[in-house]
Amino acid sequence: TTKFSVLSSGVRMTMSVSERFQKMGSQGGICYVCLPWVATDHWHAFSLFEDPSNPAERQIFIQKTGDWTTKLHRILQRDTVRPAWVQGPFPSSYDNADAYDNQSLVASGIGITPALSVIKAHKDSRRINLIWAVRDQALLEFFLRHLYLDHQGWNLIFYTGKKKLQGSAYMDILTNTNICIIEGRPKLDEVIPNIIYAIESGLGMPENYTPGTREIASEMLADRLASSNSSGMDDMDDMAEELACYATELGFHLPTDAISQEFDLFQLSDLTRPGRRRASQQSIMGHLAIGFRPWDHHEGAKKYVNNLDKKLILPTWGMLYCGGAKQVLSELEKISDEHQIGLHVESFAW
């Protein structure tokens, strides 16, 4: 007996599994599903997702991509409980993740599910970078609340939906993470070399942008603001420029125009009082941006990666992809050939 929840782009299926299933599928994998009330002779393969709040459950996300999945979505107009046949779990291409010290998990849409299993299994022993392109807002919000994160890796989510994201709606979810949400499609031939360049060169280490380091940086910037204010510096532009330069030294970007607008409040405040100091810190923290942005162009990044040792360093890097986008797969194959990085693919074309 399984529970079905209807999303705008598909269906989420939740089922209780045996202890044997839990042990066999502790790192994700795939299973085959037959829903006799949709078609008695159709079996379809899906990636498994471990429910972080209940290890005795597994979830499957069935996206509308063909006749069978569209029919399923049409039948289920609301959340319900229905019977299902399930076979598995079976290994997936993502099981090759343990061969790499540094992983770039690329996912499109519902392909995020095996990536999360890999992160859960290996985040304490390997550096895992996540690149996820998603257009379904409901799917994005659900997984933001259930992500297993590796704070030692980049977590990049590229939102490609038509609906505009409301930043405030996601702030509570993102408070304790180092996730970056970028609107638009990822340029993988830029992003992946940039990630390797950032980590191997040490110029853009993802752990520098965790909530803890952001908090410390905002405290130091608030202290510098108070010091400038007490020393008699009264030019707001000069104060903003000084803070921006100091933020750069700490590895962050602080827009001078945004922070200048709030200096009137800071100058009139007694920044020696804890409450006032905390207010300035929180305001500064709200404007802090990541200093190294892997989704931007970085001159020399590709050349740097191509010059890395092809016997000792590059073999420690691997790419894993789950999704049905042929264009993404083509881009990854080119990146794999150009930079000699391993690639393993789990597609939906079973």
Side-chain angles (χ1 to χ4, degrees), residues 1-6 11-14 37 72 75-83:
T1 298
T2 56
K3 294 175 288 186
F4 292 86
S5 303
V6 181
V11 174
R12 182 174 79 243
M13 172 178 156
T14 304
W37 38 276
L72 169 64
I75 291 174
L76 299 181
Q77 293 297 312
R78 59 180 181 179
D79 296 354
T80 185
V81 177
R82 300 284 181 96

Side-chain angles (χ1 to χ4, degrees), residues 2-242:
T2 56
K3 294 175 288 186
F4 292 86
S5 303
V6 181
L7 304 174
S8 59
S9 62
V11 174
R12 182 174 79 243
M13 172 178 156
T14 304
M15 57 186 175
S16 298
V17 297
S18 65
E19 291 186 10
R20 178 175 176 272
F21 193 109
Q22 293 175 45
K23 292 176 181 178
M24 292 177 64
S26 60
Q27 297 181 14
I30 64 173
C31 72
Y32 288 85
V33 176
C34 174
L35 304 178
W37 38 276
V38 178
T40 57
D41 57 348
H42 283 212
W43 287 85
H44 297 269
F46 297 98
S47 297
L48 288 159
F49 171 60
E50 300 90 3
D51 188 330
S53 61
N54 187 353
E57 285 188 345
R58 293 293 184 272
Q59 295 185 344
I60 294 168
F61 286 79
I62 304 172
Q63 196 166 23
K64 288 191 299 181
T65 57
D67 294 341
W68 185 86
T69 54
T70 301
K71 181 179 179 181
L72 169 64
H73 192 263
R74 185 172 64 249
I75 291 174
L76 299 181
Q77 293 297 312
R78 59 180 181 179
D79 296 354
T80 185
V81 177
R82 300 284 181 96
W85 288 100
V86 178
Q87 289 184 336
F90 301 104
S92 75
S93 299
Y94 263 54
D95 292 339
N96 293 290
D98 57 7
Y100 303 104
D101 295 326
N102 303 284
Q103 304 168 10
S104 293
L105 308 183
V106 183
S108 52
I110 206 61
I112 185 68
T113 49
L116 295 181
S117 298
V118 169
I119 294 173
K120 179 185 178 184
H122 299 302
K123 67 185 181 69
D124 294 328
S125 60
R126 293 164 174 81
R127 188 186 292 273
I128 305 175
N129 305 283
L130 175 64
I131 304 168
W132 181 30
V134 57
R135 63 184 178 186
D136 188 319
Q137 206 171 40
L139 195 65
L140 170 60
E141 183 169 346
F142 175 84
F143 279 109
L144 281 178
R145 297 184 183 277
H146 292 84
L147 283 175
Y148 301 109
L149 289 174
D150 179 13
H151 287 307
Q152 304 299 310
W154 287 99
N155 298 289
L156 309 179
I157 298 177
F158 291 85
Y159 176 68
T160 60
K162 294 181 179 180
K163 294 182 179 179
K164 192 73 173 177
L165 289 178
Q166 300 297 323
S168 58
Y170 296 93
M171 286 309 296
D172 291 339
I173 304 175
L174 301 180
T175 298
N176 295 314
T177 71
N178 61 346
I179 296 175
C180 303
I181 297 182
I182 307 103
E183 295 193 39
R185 296 185 179 278
K187 296 180 179 179
L188 293 174
D189 62 336
E190 295 270 0
V191 173
I192 291 177
N194 285 345
I195 289 176
I196 300 174
Y197 167 68
I199 292 172
E200 292 293 349
S201 69
L203 296 176
M205 302 301 288
E207 56 264 37
N208 291 343
Y209 305 110
T210 59
T213 56
R214 188 182 294 269
E215 180 83 14
I216 293 171
S218 63
E219 288 178 4
M220 297 174 69
L221 288 163
D223 289 342
R224 177 63 65 91
L225 174 62
S227 175
S228 300
N229 201 26
S230 62
S231 65
M233 182 183 291
D234 55 3
D235 187 288
M236 289 187 292
D237 291 336
D238 289 344
M239 293 174 70
E241 187 65 33
E242 181 180 335

Side-chain angles (χ1 to χ4, degrees), residues 268-312:
L268 294 174
S269 302
D270 181 5
L271 293 177
T272 61
R273 294 170 55 188
R276 299 292 191 183
R277 179 72 62 86
R278 181 65 179 172
S280 67
Q281 177 192 337
Q282 289 297 318
S283 182
I284 290 172
M285 189 171 176
H287 289 297
L288 276 184
I290 290 175
F292 186 95
R293 294 153 58 101
W295 55 93
D296 287 342
H297 175 73
H298 292 275
E299 192 67 34
K302 292 183 180 180
K303 183 178 180 180
Y304 178 91
V305 173
N306 285 332
N307 288 333
L308 290 173
D309 194 306
K310 293 178 175 55
K311 292 183 178 180
L312 299 177

